[in-house]
Amino acid sequence: MAEQEGIALVDLDENGVDRAFRADVLDGLAARQKAIPARWLYDDVGSDLFEDITQIPEYYPTRAETEILTDRGKEFATKIAPGCAVVEFGSGSSVKTPLLLKAIAPGAYVPLDISGDFLREAAQDLAAKFPGLPVYPVEADFMRTVDLPAEVAATPKLGFFPGSTIGNMVPRTAVDLLRSMRETLGEGAQLLIGMDLVKGRDILEAAYDDAAGVTAEFNLNLARRINRELDGDIPTEKLRHIARWNDDFARIEMHLEANEAIAFSVAGQEFSMRSGETIHTENSHKFTRRSSKLLLEAGGWTPQKRWLDSGKRFSLLLAEATEPRKAP
C-alpha cells in the first residue's frame, strides 16, 4: 500500500474560513429566493449524517446502486480499462466503492473530497481493505478541474461518481461539472456515474423526508454549520425541513422553512426571513434514459452502457470522454 497525505486545495482565509463557503452563503442569503449550494451540506457532521441517511428504510438509492455494483461486477470488468486509476468524486462509501474496486482490479485509487477529515478517514479505510492498492487522497473542490497526483499521470482513468450526486445540480451546473471532470481525467478516460430515475411522488418525497427525521437533521446541520463557521446566529429551532416534488423540473427540492419571522446575522451581515419563507438547500433531479443521455453528451461524455437495479429505480451509466469536434 502506497498512501500520501491529502493535497489541500481549499482556499482558506487567515481565520481558517473557507472563502468559497462564505461567499456562497452570503450571496445565497441575499437572493430573492434564498439558496445555498447543496455541496455545503457535506461538512464532517453532514457527511456522517448522510451515511446514516443511506441506511434508513425510505432511502432506496444506496440499496439500488449497491445491488447493481454487486450483481454486474463481471460486466464492469469487460467494459473498463484494466489497471486504471479510479478517481472518485467524493469520498468513497464503505459499501459501494469496495464493490467496484473488487470488480475491476484497478491500479490506483484517488478519492477527491472537500471534507478533509472525512476524506482521510475514508481513504484509510479503503487502504486497509486493499493493502496492495496505492491510495492517493486529494482534498479539493471537485466542482473545479483538479490536478491529480503525478503518480497516476500516465495511468488510464476511470471517474466514479455514484449516488446520483449529479442530480443535486441544475442542468447548467451539472454540465459544467461533467466538463471539468473530463478536464480532470483527460483524454481517453471513462466515467461511471449514478443517476436516479423518475418515479412516484410518494416514494420520492418519503425518501427525502424520512419518518425518523435523519434527513431533517442533515438539512438543519447546514444552518448549524453556518453558525459554527461563519459567526452566525441563525435561530435553527425556528426552521423546519421540507421536501417536495417539483414535477416541472423533475426534481425533489429540499428547503429550510422559517416557522415565524426571524432576523439573524452571518459573517457580520444582517438577514431576515418572513414566516413561511425558505432557504433552498438541495435539488435532486431524477432522470429518464433520454435526459441522462442528453446531459452526459452535453458535458463531453459519450454513453457506452446503462445498468438498472431489479426494481428499475436507479441507473449506473458508463461513458467515455468524447473526442473534441469542430463541427456539429
Side-chain angles (χ1 to χ4, degrees):
M1 186 272 291
E3 181 180 352
Q4 68 180 35
E5 292 295 317
I7 301 170
L9 299 179
V10 179
D11 184 18
L12 303 179
D13 69 9
E14 64 278 4
N15 297 315
V17 176
D18 189 320
R19 288 187 173 92
F21 177 48
R22 181 174 55 210
D24 280 349
V25 169
L26 294 178
D27 288 348
L29 291 177
R32 179 176 299 178
Q33 167 59 71
K34 292 176 170 59
I36 298 171
R39 62 192 174 121
W40 300 116
L41 291 161
Y42 297 90
D43 64 342
D44 291 338
V45 176
S47 295
D48 286 340
L49 282 167
F50 182 74
E51 289 297 308
D52 292 339
I53 288 171
T54 65
Q55 304 303 312
I56 62 178
E58 299 95 330
Y59 193 79
Y60 61 85
T62 300
R63 293 189 298 276
E65 189 172 32
T66 299
E67 177 192 316
I68 299 170
L69 288 164
T70 301
D71 294 349
R72 303 301 182 90
K74 291 182 180 179
E75 294 181 42
F76 297 150
T78 66
K79 299 288 185 180
I80 294 169
C84 65
V86 174
V87 180
E88 183 164 8
F89 296 89
S91 287
S93 161
S94 61
V95 175
K96 288 184 286 189
T97 307
L99 292 172
L100 176 64
L101 298 180
K102 288 177 183 177
I104 65 171
Y109 174 60
V110 184
L112 312 179
D113 201 273
I114 200 169
S115 177
D117 291 341
F118 192 79
L119 165 71
R120 285 180 282 276
E121 181 181 344
Q124 289 170 3
D125 288 346
L126 264 295
K129 292 176 182 176
F130 297 87
L133 181 67
V135 177
Y136 305 106
V138 177
E139 184 176 348
D141 178 2
F142 62 72
M143 296 296 295
R144 302 177 176 89
T145 303
V146 177
D147 292 327
L148 297 178
E151 290 87 343
V152 300
T155 307
K157 312 294 191 304
L158 171 70
F160 185 40
F161 198 41
S164 199
T165 305
I166 195 72
N168 293 149
M169 301 156 203
V170 296
R172 65 178 180 276
T173 306
V175 169
D176 287 345
L177 174 58
L178 289 167
R179 289 174 177 170
S180 72
M181 285 177 167
R182 192 188 182 289
E183 290 299 313
T184 293
L185 297 170
E187 297 295 326
Q190 293 177 293
L191 176 66
L192 185 64
I193 184 170
M195 293 192 184
D196 198 8
L197 302 178
V198 172
K199 57 187 69 65
R201 177 192 295 264
D202 55 341
I203 296 173
L204 289 167
E205 290 187 347
Y208 292 84
D209 193 9
D210 59 282
V214 181
T215 311
E217 284 299 304
F218 172 67
N219 200 10
L220 285 162
N221 178 64
L222 176 59
R224 295 177 184 131
R225 179 185 183 185
I226 292 169
N227 287 347
R228 289 192 300 268
E229 299 183 21
L230 300 179
D231 193 26
D233 58 6
I234 301 171
T236 57
E237 73 281 0
K238 297 179 181 178
L239 298 176
R240 73 180 185 100
H241 162 73
I242 58 174
R244 60 196 182 202
W245 173 249
N246 186 327
D247 196 58
D248 288 341
F249 294 100
R251 71 190 187 199
I252 284 282
E253 295 180 0
M254 288 196 340
H255 294 252
L256 291 171
E257 182 181 69
N259 293 325
E260 59 184 79
I262 59 175
F264 55 91
S265 64
V266 175
Q269 296 191 27
E270 303 295 324
F271 301 96
S272 64
M273 294 177 68
R274 303 179 306 276
S275 178
E277 187 178 359
T278 70
I279 305 170
H280 190 169
T281 57
E282 184 179 71
N283 293 315
S284 186
H285 291 83
K286 308 305 173 185
F287 299 92
T288 63
R289 177 189 289 271
R290 181 177 295 175
S291 63
S292 60
K293 183 175 186 292
L294 180 62
L295 182 65
L296 284 168
E297 290 184 340
W301 296 92
T302 300
Q304 296 176 287
K305 180 70 177 178
R306 179 176 184 258
W307 294 276
L308 304 181
D309 69 294
S310 58
K312 298 183 179 179
R313 301 165 295 176
F314 194 91
S315 63
L316 266 176
L317 298 100
L318 182 67
E320 62 181 349
T322 305
E323 293 184 9
R325 298 179 59 182
K326 294 183 179 180

